[in-house]
Every structure is written in C-alpha cells, then in structure tokens.
C-alpha cells in the first residue's frame, strides 16, 4: 500500500512538474518577444543614427541584449560578416532556423523575423527603419496578447499537468 | 597579375575565378579598372588598354565569347561591397561611388531616385566601375624642392594643375605623405597636415580610416564639402598645411581666400591645362593676380601620367601670364 501511495505521489509530482515546465515556457516566450522588440528598436536606432554596417550593428545589439536574443543577434552578425556573396536573406533564414530550436518562440514570431530577413540591409535608411519598426510593432502586438493570457494559460497548463498526473495515478495505481 | 583581395571578395565567384585565370595568363601589367555592365561583356583596363576576359579565362582585344555578368551578379556586387547594408552606403551612393578597403573605388550607374534636394538614391544598378587605387611612392621627389625651400618655416602655397587623368591626385598624395613624414628640405621635419578629401581620392578612406599612405602627421576629413571641411580642420586640428583636391567651384573661392589669410599653407589641385589657362578663370584670376600661390605645378599626360610640364613661381613673373618656367621632368 505504501509503495502504491509513493508511486501515485511520484506520478502526480511528475505531472505537476510537467505542467509547471509548460507554464514556464509561456513566460519565457513572452520575455523573449519583449526582448526582441527592444532589440529591433535598438537595431533601428543603430541604422538610423549610426548607419553602422549590418554585422557591426547586429553585434552591438547582441551586446546590449540578454539570453537567447543575444545569441540570435550575435550569430546573425557573425553570419552576415562571413557572407561575401549573394543576398543575406539566405544566411538570415539559416541562422534563424538553427536558433529557433533553442528559443521559446513559436511560428508566429519566427515568421515576423523570417520576413524581416528578406528586407534587412537591402534598402535605404528610411525603409530599413520602417521595416524594423513594423516588425517590432507586430511582435509588440503578440506580446500584448500573450501578456493578457499568460497568467490564465500558465495556470491552466499547471492544473492540466496536475490533473493529468492524478488521472494517470488513478489509472495505474 | 591578380585581383586585390578587397576586390575579389565583392565579386561573384564565377566572375572572380574567370578574371583571376585571365589575369594570371596575361602576365604582368598594371590593372587599372574593371567595368561590369549587366548583360554586357565585362572589360578590364590594363596599362591603359581595354581587354575582354572570356568565360574560359582568356584576355582578348575583342569581346569574343565574353564574360557576361547577369543582373543578379551586378546586384550582388553592391550587396557584398556594402556588407549587406545598402543603407550604410546610401549617402555615398548619392555621389555615385563607394570607397572600398584598400582605397579602391566602386562607381555605379543605374536609375536615379530624385527628390527636392537632387538625387536621393540609386536603384536598379546596371553598371559597376571598379577603379583600383594606385600609389606612386616618391613621385613628388622632383617637385618637393619647389614646395619646401631649405630652412623654410612652412611650405609654399602650391597649386597642381593638369587635365583629368594627368596624375594630380597621385602627386598630391605623395606630397602629403612626404610633408607629413618629413622632407630633407625642411631638415627632416614633418608638418602637421590636414586633408579635406571631399571625394575620398587622396587618402582613400574606408570607414574613416585612410587606406593609402598619407604619412604619420596627417588628419583627414573624408567625404565633406571642401569649404566646410577646411573650416573644421583649421578650427579643430591646428594644421600647418591643408591639402585639398580639385578646387574650382564658386564656394571654394571664399574658403581658399580665408585659408590663405590665416597663415596655413594651402596645397591644392585644379583641372586645367596650364597656369595661363587658370589665370583666365574667374575663380583663379584674382588669386593668381594677388600671387596667393607661390608655386604652380603643371602636369600633363604627354609623356605618360604624371609628366611635369613646368613648375611656375607666379611671384617672379612680371605678369600672371608671363610666368617663369623652372623645371621639366617626370613626377611618376
């Protein structure tokens, strides 16, 4: 009986931890989107005021950013600097695809960054700033939407994890 | 002959490989420029003669089986030259060219986008002209004794005059280098030299850094209008010598007159065929009549680029037209 109780408790605990991990992913996603918005505004400022070449501007944004966003901009800067032939959209996509695996972002946000890769560096200052601000606005809208639902969704994920664990424990034990 | 690394880096691989092969087979010579036009035969100028590389890596006098760049390749050159950052070179492109690492110059032509202030940008680039930077170290050796007298506190106000392609900028650059480094005429003393390099041709600056040897005591303001750059240099750098290229615009006259009054030596170049030719021009006439310049160096391409036709001292002339001829020789 004791063994059953311990087993059931472990299953419930496992389910709860899984739910907690899912809830934390939501918070991490929101944090990354917010950091991306800041990074894009910073990149727009670098382009508008400093007119630094893209590798340098991306590296500077990386230094001012944190976590996975820092990694993204640092890798983009290095890849663009290495790119000596053809448009940089291909390089941007490749870096983004590799980075997406380690980030908490989902398709919607990745799509915004992907579209930006097709425009970045190709036009004059005004167009670049417009494109970056547009991307930042779209991400900002996503962040606002996530923020309004993140607590509710996180709680829901946690409860689902606990409930799933309890259900599994009842079925197995 | 081989392509310089900064040039090779910005060329699409197909073009760079074919060019390297053709230049390698051609042997020695001075590669002066490269003309790349969308869907037209690519051509190179070697020692003043145009040649057409073939797609098999030969160099021909006629465009037979030529190397023909595509629209995408022409566009890729600009992308690579700007490090994927068109916006960063937009203002330079308004002038029609970019300076590359090594001081090489990339000129472009295409569809101009105009606005109230003139050309705002270029789009649909169809032609690229790469001009390779060329330094001739020591080409000013023969003219320096006329610019710096033994024991002089400062060099003479000097004007280098010649038609386009006669080597004015190359001579000016070596004058800058030697004055900055120190000349035997000045007892080995180097002067504080400031260069107002509006067209980035004297120092060949890339991202603000001189790519060509302009000496250790030289400060450069790159890409700014001459008059503004000269005023800024005098205020901020306290130079002994100010050097600028191709004066002649109406707004240059006031800046030159101010400079000549403030005790700083001016060394400049101007388009023209001779001292007499300049003396007839409204901008130069008052300056030359006032004997503001103490040394006028006439260049021509008569015996090759950099042929020094005369060195004139207008102060010793009875009139501006009857100038004294001092020397004949070749600067470089």
């Amino acid at each position: 009986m004791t063994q059953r109780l311990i087993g059931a408790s472990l299953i419930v605990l496992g389910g709860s931890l899984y739910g907690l991990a899912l809830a934390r992913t939501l918070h991490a996603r929101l944090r990354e989107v917010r950091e991306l918005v800041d990074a894009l505004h910073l990149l727009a400022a670098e382009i508008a005021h400093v007119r630094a070449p893209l590798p340098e501007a991306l590296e500077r944004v990386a230094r001012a950013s944190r976590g996975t966003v820092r990694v993204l901009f640092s890798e983009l800067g290095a890849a663009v600097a290495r790119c000596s032939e053809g448009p940089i959209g291909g390089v941007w996509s490749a870096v983004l695809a590799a980075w997406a695996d380690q980030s908490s972002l989902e398709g919607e946000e990745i799509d915004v960054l992907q579209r930006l890769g097709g425009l970045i560096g190709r036009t004059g200052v005004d167009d670049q700033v417009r494109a970056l601000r547009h991307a930042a606005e779209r991400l900002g809208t996503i962040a606002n939407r996530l923020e309004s639902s993140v607590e509710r969704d996180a709680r829901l994920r946690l409860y689902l994890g606990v409930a799933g664990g309890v259900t599994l424990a009842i079925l197995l034990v | 002959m081989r392509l310089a690394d900064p040039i090779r880096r910005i060329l699409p691989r197909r073009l760079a490989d074919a060019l390297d092969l053709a230049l390698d087979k051609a042997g020695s010579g001075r590669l002066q420029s490269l003309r790349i036009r969308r869907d037209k035969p690519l051509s190179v100028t070697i020692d003043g003669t145009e040649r057409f590389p073939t797609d098999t890596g030969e160099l021909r006098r006629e465009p037979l089986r030529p190397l023909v760049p595509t629209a995408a390749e022409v566009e890729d050159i600009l992308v690579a030259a700007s490090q994927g950052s068109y916006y960063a070179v937009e203002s330079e492109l308004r002038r029609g060219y970019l300076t590359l690492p090594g001081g090489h110059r990339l000129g472009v032509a295409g569809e101009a986008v105009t606005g109230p202030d003139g050309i705002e940008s270029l789009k649909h680039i169809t032609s690229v002209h790469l001009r390779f930077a060329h330094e001739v170290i020591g080409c000013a050796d023969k003219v320096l004794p006329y610019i710096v007298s033994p024991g002089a506190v400062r060099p003479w106000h000097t004007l280098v005059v010649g038609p386009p392609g006669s080597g004015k900028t190359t001579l000016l650059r070596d004058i800058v280098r030697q004055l900055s480094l120190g000349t035997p005429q000045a007892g080995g003393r180097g002067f504080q030299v400031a260069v107002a390099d509006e067209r980035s041709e004297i120092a060949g600056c890339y991202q603000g850094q001189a790519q060509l040897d302009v000496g250790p005591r030289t400060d450069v303001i790159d890409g700014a209008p001459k008059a503004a750059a000269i005023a800024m240099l005098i205020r901020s750098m306290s130079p002994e010598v100010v050097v600028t290229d191709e004066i002649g615009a109406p707004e240059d006259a006031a800046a030159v007159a101010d400079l000549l009054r403030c005790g700083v030596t001016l060394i400049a170049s101007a388009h023209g065929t001779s001292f007499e030719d300049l003396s007839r021009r409204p901008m130069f006439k008052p300056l030359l009549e006032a004997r503001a310049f103490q040394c006028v160096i006439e260049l021509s391409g008569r015996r090759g680029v950099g042929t020094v036709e005369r060195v004139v001292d207008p102060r010793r002339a009875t009139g501006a037209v009857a100038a004294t001829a001092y020397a004949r020789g070749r600067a470089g």
Side-chain angles (χ1 to χ4, degrees):
Chain A
M1 187 62 188
T2 311
Q3 281 177 335
R4 284 187 172 188
L5 273 174
I6 291 171
S9 303
L10 285 174
I11 290 170
V12 172
L13 184 67
S16 304
L17 288 174
Y18 181 65
L20 192 65
L22 286 177
R24 289 181 73 146
T25 309
L26 275 182
H27 283 108
R29 182 182 173 200
L30 176 62
R31 194 177 58 246
E32 272 182 29
V33 176
R34 287 267 181 241
E35 281 170 4
L36 266 179
V37 171
D38 290 345
L40 291 181
H41 280 305
L42 197 56
L43 185 58
E46 284 284 337
I47 286 174
H49 304 301
V50 185
R51 305 207 179 178
L54 211 43
E56 195 183 320
L58 289 166
E59 189 49 46
R60 285 227 275 259
V61 172
R63 283 203 295 271
S65 305
R66 290 182 303 173
T68 50
V69 173
R70 182 192 189 106
V71 173
L72 172 66
F73 279 87
S74 177
E75 285 179 0
L76 283 173
V80 172
R82 279 196 304 272
C83 173
S84 61
E85 197 172 354
I88 58 165
V91 171
W92 184 280
S93 295
V95 170
L96 196 57
W99 174 82
D101 293 339
Q102 53 175 300
S103 88
S104 305
L105 298 188
E106 294 191 359
E108 209 178 351
E109 299 92 272
I110 297 289
D111 185 51
V112 173
L113 294 175
Q114 188 74 51
R115 282 167 190 266
L116 189 59
L119 297 167
I120 195 89
R122 297 179 66 88
T123 56
V125 172
D126 294 344
D127 286 342
Q128 290 294 296
V129 170
R130 248 195 308 274
L132 285 164
R133 288 195 179 142
H134 178 65
E137 270 172 32
R138 285 189 62 195
L139 289 173
T141 308
I142 293 171
N144 290 339
R145 200 185 65 224
L146 284 174
E147 197 155 33
S148 65
S149 63
V150 70
E151 291 304 328
R152 188 194 63 219
D153 289 353
R155 263 198 310 275
L156 186 66
R157 288 181 182 202
L158 180 62
Y159 294 159
L160 278 175
V162 175
V166 170
T167 309
L168 199 62
I170 291 168
L171 288 174
L172 294 177
V173 180
Chain B
M1 266 183 299
R2 282 190 76 79
L3 288 171
D5 278 347
I7 304 297
R8 194 172 213 297
R9 199 190 67 76
I10 65 164
L11 290 180
R13 193 158 298 144
R14 181 181 78 94
L15 303 183
D17 288 348
L19 268 169
D20 260 346
L21 193 60
L23 294 173
D24 202 33
K25 284 183 187 171
S28 61
R30 187 165 83 80
L31 183 60
Q32 291 169 302
S33 72
L34 182 57
R35 289 181 185 275
I36 300 167
R37 298 181 178 102
R38 179 174 149 177
D39 302 325
K40 299 282 193 313
L42 183 149
S43 71
V44 295
T45 304
I46 300 169
D47 294 329
T49 309
E50 188 178 32
R51 293 275 187 275
F52 297 91
T54 66
D55 53 4
T56 52
E58 309 284 336
L59 269 186
R60 300 236 167 103
R61 285 175 189 275
E62 302 297 328
L64 300 168
R65 294 189 63 194
L67 194 57
V68 178
T70 63
E73 283 175 327
V74 173
E75 194 179 318
D76 284 354
I77 292 171
L78 200 62
V79 171
S82 66
Q83 294 182 278
S85 320
Y86 178 85
Y87 62 84
V89 297
E90 195 180 17
S91 60
E92 282 183 84
L93 278 180
R94 250 178 243 147
R95 300 183 300 187
Y97 59 84
L98 300 179
T99 305
L100 303 174
H104 309 295
R105 170 162 296 198
L106 183 147
V108 292
E111 188 183 338
V113 180
T114 55
D117 299 325
I119 294 175
E120 288 184 347
S121 64
L122 285 174
K123 62 179 184 179
H124 303 140
I125 304 294
T126 51
S127 305
V128 169
H129 179 209
L130 281 157
R131 281 170 60 191
F132 303 115
H134 181 52
E135 285 181 290
V136 185
I137 301 291
C139 70
D141 287 352
K142 286 184 181 171
V143 299
L144 268 173
Y146 301 104
I147 300 173
V148 189
S149 301
V153 177
R154 57 167 211 182
W156 300 120
H157 295 303
T158 301
L159 191 58
V160 179
V161 55
S166 58
K168 295 187 293 296
T169 308
T170 305
L171 180 65
L172 214 51
R173 186 184 305 122
D174 200 52
I175 292 171
V176 170
R177 184 186 67 82
Q178 296 208 39
L179 290 179
S180 174
L181 189 63
T183 64
Q185 293 80 18
R189 180 196 159 212
F191 295 94
Q192 301 298 331
V193 183
V195 178
D197 200 4
E198 183 171 359
R199 305 197 311 161
S200 315
E201 285 190 330
I202 300 175
C205 284
Y206 175 73
Q207 295 181 356
Q209 181 75 33
Q211 302 289 298
L212 303 169
D213 187 357
V214 287
R217 296 180 184 86
T218 303
D219 307 300
V220 183
I221 287 190
D222 178 61
K226 277 185 275 287
I230 288 171
M232 193 185 286
L233 283 165
I234 290 172
R235 270 200 310 270
S236 59
M237 304 312 295
S238 304
E240 295 172 284
V241 181
V242 167
V243 179
T244 193
D245 208 5
E246 295 184 7
I247 56 171
E251 61 271 22
D252 297 342
V256 167
D258 281 349
L259 182 68
L260 294 173
R261 275 195 295 268
C262 72
V264 177
T265 295
L266 171 66
I267 299 179
S269 71
H271 279 308
T273 52
S274 64
F275 171 70
E276 290 77 10
D277 174 32
L278 286 189
S279 305
R280 287 190 287 270
R281 293 213 220 139
M283 179 194 154
F284 293 101
K285 193 176 177 187
L287 289 171
L288 294 174
E289 280 179 354
R291 292 167 187 178
F293 288 100
Q294 293 127 3
C295 176
V296 177
I297 300 166
E298 287 180 7
L299 292 185
S300 76
R302 200 163 50 87
R303 284 184 289 144
V305 176
T307 305
V308 179
E309 290 291 343
R310 291 193 300 173
V311 180
V312 178
D313 180 350
R315 295 167 309 161
R316 300 203 181 177
T318 50
V321 175
T324 310
Y326 275 144
R328 248 173 218 280
R330 200 173 156 175

